[in-house]
Amino acid sequence: MMATRNLITEPVWMRVSLTAVALTFLGVLVVLPVAAIFAEALSKGFGVYVASIIEPDAWAAIKLTLLVAVIAVPLNLVFGLVASWAIAKFEFRGKSFLITLIDLPFAVSPVISGLIYILLFGAHNFLGNWLIENDIQVVFAVPGIVLATIFVTFPFVARELIPLMQEQGTEEEEAAILLGANGFQTFWRVTLPNIKWALLYGVLLCNARAMGEFGAVSVVSGHIRGLTNTIPLHVEILYNEYNFAAAFSVASILTVLALVTLVLKTIIELRFSGFKTRRG
Amino acid sequence: MALALQKPFARTRYSVIPGFGITLGLTLFYLSLIVLIPLAGLVFKTAEMSLPELWRTISDNRVLHAFKISFGLSFAAAVINAVLGLVVAWVLVRYRFPFKKLVDALVDLPFAMPTAVSGIALAALYAPNGWIGQYLAPMGIKVAFTQLGILVALVFIGLPFVVRTTEPVLADLDREVEEAAASLGASRWQTFRRVIFPHLMPSLLTGFAMAFARAVGEYGSVIFIAGNMPYVSEIVPLVIIIKLEQYDYSGATAVALVMLIASFIMLFVINWLQKWSRSRREG
């Protein structure tokens, strides 16, 4: 017994060195940057830290970021539920092509995600001219930022739900329908309890990305301080002004958000071992 | 596929579950509105350019250098991620050590962190006076504001992909096969190379392709550490932004179209690899 165990594992020195390589790699690559953010944020003391966050321009950026997330996340949440219902509960032609299309925003560079809205609403076509005549600003204003954020966070909820719902099949829903439940009751009482943890994780990821998106938003925002600056854009401005302590202080808000997202994910996974998140 | 073209999105099996028409209809509507129409706009915009004009924009020396830097460094970063990501996945699946759950959660951090925040953090770490940079500077190694800096940022953002694609395959691997190989006299290294690695290959390639695709388009975490010198450390997404800032909309669009085509190809390669990977695991 002991002999076979030894044969299918590596010698101790090998195990120790592989573990050391993995932990060093993660430590240098992931842990140090996070530590650096908080160290730099607090480098000029706690007073400067708080002052950088409650200063009016930073505060305006925080409010805009919250506004964008409040619009983008629910829309993509509803879309994710609707799309995964159609894809997981029915058989139809072109399904895998549809899944590929839903994945598209993941494959596109964030800069291009912003560019497409500039081309669509910028003053270079009939739509752009019509918007100018009616005094509606989309690009370089809040609507453009919201649209670009929706695009970038489009697949998050759907991608968490589709594989899980496909795995769960349709038997429970069919039973509910045959017992007389209507479609909405079936979804609310049967499907939703089965997918709630994956749904929660999808929403958390979607929200973290919506609040943290930089490339796409940077293209469509006019970088107007206090007006069209989200938190990441405000961080960029502060950094480029060599105001490092303030830049890292504001950045630490988003770092905390990312850490909370991961802690919640780990708790969900630990408590509900049936639910395993998928990445891609 | 021919069938799919004849009658797209037609149901192929009857079901008592309601809501097919409305949910699929809403999905296609929202997908078209947010993703397909805006992307089609980019293609139409490029169609306004004449072919020689398009070619001149893309084959411009500065643009070509950016393509070489973006694709070359993304490839290098994906290779590093494939090797070290596999080591991380192996250690997480097979060995026991304290705080393993915490370490496992850390792998997702590059995915959850806003790119601009990672960008300034990496730039601060690797600057000549930074925590890591101060030890590298005396050795003559400059990371921040060089191509090496871009590489570090791309390895950072690509980390989760290889780990997360190979982890489940490693966990599912039947240990009896390894026992069989060992009892037939294979050394541990031979077992890994001949038995385990072929099983891992599809998922490893999937993770590699995902990390590469993500790196090619990455902007936020790179620009702060890159230095952004034309011909030396300027990535393609930045070239697009610079062209936009100069109101050269058609130039920006032309470069973006090349990137977009590359992303489409990557997406189909990844889908194909995932299918292969799945059939390997089930078969």
Side-chain angles (χ1 to χ4, degrees), chain A residues 8 10 15 29 34 76 79 82-83 85 90-93 100 104 107 109-110 117-118 150 262 265 270 279, chain B residues 9-12 17-18 20 23 27 30 34 90 95 101 105 108-109 123 156 175 188 217 249 256 263-264 271:
Chain A
I8 58 161
E10 292 75 46
R15 273 180 282 168
L29 197 66
V34 174
N76 284 335
F79 164 76
V82 166
W85 182 270
F90 302 99
E91 292 304 321
F92 57 90
R93 293 204 177 101
T100 307
L104 260 183
S109 169
Y117 288 103
I118 298 233
I150 293 176
L262 290 184
K265 179 215 163 188
L270 282 178
R279 176 77 352 73
Chain B
F9 306 122
R11 227 195 294 193
T12 52
I17 299 171
F20 176 69
T23 52
T27 303
Y30 189 66
I34 297 292
W90 182 273
Y95 302 156
K101 280 282 164 209
D108 279 332
L109 203 65
F156 174 84
R175 299 300 289 262
R188 194 62 197 141
Y249 284 74
S263 315
F264 282 169
N271 272 3

Side-chain angles (χ1 to χ4, degrees), chain A residues 73-145:
Chain A
V73 175
L75 277 173
N76 284 335
L77 163 68
V78 171
F79 164 76
L81 284 171
V82 166
S84 43
W85 182 270
I87 287 169
K89 300 299 172 194
F90 302 99
E91 292 304 321
F92 57 90
R93 293 204 177 101
K95 190 196 269 192
S96 57
F97 184 61
L98 181 62
I99 298 177
T100 307
L101 287 181
I102 291 176
D103 277 348
L104 260 183
F106 271 158
V108 172
S109 169
V111 170
I112 296 177
S113 317
L115 171 69
I116 54 176
Y117 288 103
I118 298 233
L119 295 178
L120 202 62
F121 296 107
H124 307 275
N125 56 30
F126 74 96
L127 186 61
N129 292 333
W130 183 84
L131 290 173
I132 289 178
E133 277 162 26
N134 290 279
D135 210 22
I136 305 169
Q137 265 237 301
V138 177
V139 175
F140 308 128
V142 176
I145 297 176

Side-chain angles (χ1 to χ4, degrees), chain A residues 4 7-11 14-15 18-19 21-23 25-26 28-37 39-40 72 75-76 79 82-83 85-86 89-98 100-112 115-120 124 140 147 150-151 154 156 159 170 173-174 177-178 182-183 201 205 208-209 212-215 218-219 232 235-236 239-240 247-248 251 254-255 258-259 261-262 265-266 269-270 276 278-280, chain B residues 1 3-4 7-13 15-20 22-24 26-28 30-31 33-39 41-42 45 80-81 84-85 87-88 90-91 94-95 97 101 103-118 120-126 131-132 152 155-156 159-161 164-165 175 178-179 182-183 188 210 213-214 217-220 223-224 237 240-241 244 249 252-253 256 259-260 263-264 267-268 271 274-275:
Chain A
T4 30
L7 280 174
I8 58 161
T9 188
E10 292 75 46
M14 185 84 177
R15 273 180 282 168
L18 279 177
T19 311
V21 168
L23 293 182
F25 178 57
L26 288 177
V28 172
L29 197 66
V30 181
V31 179
L32 276 184
V34 174
I37 291 165
E40 294 274 350
L75 277 173
N76 284 335
F79 164 76
V82 166
W85 182 270
K89 300 299 172 194
F90 302 99
E91 292 304 321
F92 57 90
R93 293 204 177 101
K95 190 196 269 192
S96 57
F97 184 61
L98 181 62
T100 307
L101 287 181
I102 291 176
D103 277 348
L104 260 183
F106 271 158
V108 172
S109 169
V111 170
I112 296 177
L115 171 69
I116 54 176
Y117 288 103
I118 298 233
L119 295 178
L120 202 62
H124 307 275
F140 308 128
L147 278 171
I150 293 176
F151 180 96
F154 181 84
F156 278 89
R159 280 198 78 155
T170 55
E173 282 81 6
E174 279 161 5
I177 299 287
L178 293 176
N182 64 33
Y201 183 52
L205 272 184
R209 183 71 194 266
E213 177 51 31
F214 175 68
S218 151
V219 173
V235 169
E236 183 198 22
Y239 188 85
N240 288 341
F248 281 98
L254 291 172
T255 312
L259 292 173
T261 303
L262 290 184
K265 179 215 163 188
T266 310
E269 270 184 359
L270 282 178
K276 185 78 190 156
R278 208 183 65 109
R279 176 77 352 73
Chain B
M1 200 57 211
L3 271 175
K7 223 178 176 190
F9 306 122
R11 227 195 294 193
T12 52
R13 201 200 313 149
S15 161
V16 291
I17 299 171
F20 176 69
I22 177 110
T23 52
L24 186 66
L26 274 175
T27 303
L28 292 174
Y30 189 66
L31 178 75
L33 202 68
I34 297 292
V35 180
L36 300 183
I37 293 173
L39 278 177
L42 188 135
K45 176 78 187 169
I80 296 174
N81 271 322
L84 288 171
V87 173
V88 171
W90 182 273
V91 166
R94 298 246 159 153
Y95 302 156
F97 51 91
K101 280 282 164 209
V103 176
D104 191 84
L106 279 178
V107 172
D108 279 332
L109 203 65
F111 200 72
M113 284 264 278
T115 54
V117 175
S118 321
I120 61 168
L122 291 172
L125 277 181
Y126 291 93
W131 287 357
I132 300 177
V152 169
V155 171
F156 174 84
L159 165 75
F161 295 101
R164 293 301 182 225
T165 52
R175 299 300 289 262
E178 288 170 56
E179 276 173 34
S183 60
R188 194 62 197 141
M210 284 173 165
R214 171 75 201 264
E218 181 58 23
Y219 175 69
I223 51 156
F224 295 100
I240 296 176
I241 294 226
L244 273 179
Y249 284 74
T253 313
M259 290 278 282
L260 200 61
S263 315
F264 282 169
L267 192 61
F268 280 102
N271 272 3
Q274 273 175 328
K275 258 181 216 155

